[in-house]
Amino acid sequence: MALDDKTLDQLAEHLHACQREARDTLKVTDDHPDMTWDDAYAIQDRILAAKLAGGAHLAGYKAGLTSHAKMKQMGVTDPVFGFLVDEFMVPAGGEVQTSELIHPKVEPEICFVTRHELQGPGCSIASVLAASDIVLPGIEVIDSRYRDFKFDLKSVVADNTSASRFVVGGHAVDARSVDLRTTGIVLEKNGQVVATGAGAAVVGHPAAAVAMLVNHLGRRGKTLPAGALVFSGGITAAVAVTAGDNLTLSVQGMGSVGVRFV
Ligand code: 0L1
Ligand code: MG
């Protein structure tokens, strides 16, 4: 760790305020170029602790930057991980208030719900599938707090991987009943197809991203609990949205889920 507790507290407070107030900021590594990955996750942990202290509940976990194209672009080999709380939750077909966000984008994802606790290191796709209950379509709304999307990966981790809203829906299926690599998705904005893809775009298999999350948690002395919702990562590039947009994600064999931006 390069940063002391006081600095970690201040950065967490700052980024949390930016998220709550839809206020943008410069990336945190501008003032703290020596910030380590552990520091970045420690800031994220502090934001979660503040949310829980304020009455929020942990609603799930997310893997971010999961597509090979985006990882190559950012010069990284592993995804990043964040948390979801109930205040980010939007009902299927519900509305997202764009005035509460800075510059939102959406990502089409396949979500897992675990039946059994998972522990890493050493977690594999097979362990994830064996421990999973259902998979279902999910739209993640990301909203980087960094001005003009000028960020680096450690700053993104500190900013809870741009998490801001999420919606799940469609129809859930047994995680072992489908080949998630070849499961196709179509994302429509206002009735126009804006992105298509297949599960394999997420580090080869969406369950691989969940295994990476479990191994990441394991390295930090944590486990993925039974009943956890996990957004396994965007299958395509994120799509920018503004007020008035209607988004629908269809996932092969799992129906559709939609959300409206007002
Ligand atoms: O969920 C994600 O893929 C996180 C993306 C973080 C960077 C961004 O805001 O584009
Ligand atoms: Mg995502």
Side-chain angles (χ1 to χ4, degrees):
M1 307 270 284
L3 306 184
D4 59 26
D5 279 341
K6 189 170 166 223
T7 309
L8 294 170
D9 286 344
Q10 282 169 348
L11 291 172
E13 216 170 284
H14 172 65
L15 287 170
H16 191 194
C18 288
Q19 181 258 308
R20 287 194 320 267
E21 295 161 20
R23 185 155 49 84
D24 69 7
T25 184
L26 297 177
K27 66 181 191 296
V28 289
T29 48
D30 284 357
D31 283 338
H32 303 282
D34 298 334
M35 187 172 91
T36 65
W37 288 105
D38 284 343
D39 290 325
Y41 279 107
I43 293 167
Q44 191 191 107
D45 286 347
R46 280 162 163 78
I47 296 173
L48 174 58
K51 288 209 175 287
L52 299 181
H57 298 90
L58 185 63
Y61 302 80
K62 58 165 283 190
L65 299 177
T66 46
S67 82
H68 285 303
K70 190 136 183 186
M71 280 197 272
K72 199 170 166 198
Q73 188 185 17
M74 303 288 295
V76 290
T77 51
D78 287 322
V80 290
F81 306 101
F83 66 81
L84 302 170
V85 282
D86 49 0
E87 70 186 45
F88 297 168
M89 207 182 292
V90 179
E95 292 179 350
V96 172
Q97 299 287 335
T98 39
S99 60
E100 296 173 1
L101 303 174
I102 304 163
H103 42 202
K105 295 182 180 181
V106 298
E107 296 186 319
E109 305 204 15
I110 292 173
C111 303
F112 289 70
V113 179
T114 56
R115 187 190 289 265
H116 302 291
E117 183 184 43
L118 275 160
Q119 187 163 11
C123 182
S124 64
I125 292 177
S127 324
V128 170
L129 291 175
S132 291
D133 189 352
I134 53 164
V135 287
L136 75 172
I139 298 175
E140 190 194 5
V141 183
I142 52 173
D143 190 36
S144 173
R145 267 56 71 170
Y146 296 117
R147 193 162 303 154
D148 302 324
F149 300 100
K150 290 196 178 111
F151 50 59
D152 57 13
L153 261 263
K154 287 176 190 161
S155 296
V156 167
V157 166
D159 182 33
N160 190 25
T161 65
S162 313
S164 74
R165 299 286 184 274
F166 67 91
V167 54
V168 290
H171 101 94
V173 300
D174 185 318
R176 289 171 294 277
S177 71
V178 276
D179 177 0
L180 292 171
R181 290 177 67 249
T182 56
T183 297
I185 70 100
V186 175
L187 182 66
E188 288 163 283
K189 180 162 95 169
N190 305 325
Q192 303 283 327
V193 174
V194 286
T196 58
V202 174
V203 290
H205 192 303
V210 182
M212 287 171 165
L213 165 69
V214 173
N215 292 328
H216 160 80
L217 291 173
R219 284 191 292 275
R220 308 187 75 233
K222 300 176 185 181
T223 60
L224 183 66
L229 170 68
V230 181
F231 270 67
S232 63
I235 292 170
T236 69
V239 173
V241 287
T242 54
D245 286 340
N246 281 294
L247 275 293
T248 305
L249 169 64
S250 303
V251 178
Q252 188 179 1
M254 302 180 209
S256 301
V257 60
V259 65
R260 287 179 295 132
F261 287 81
V262 296

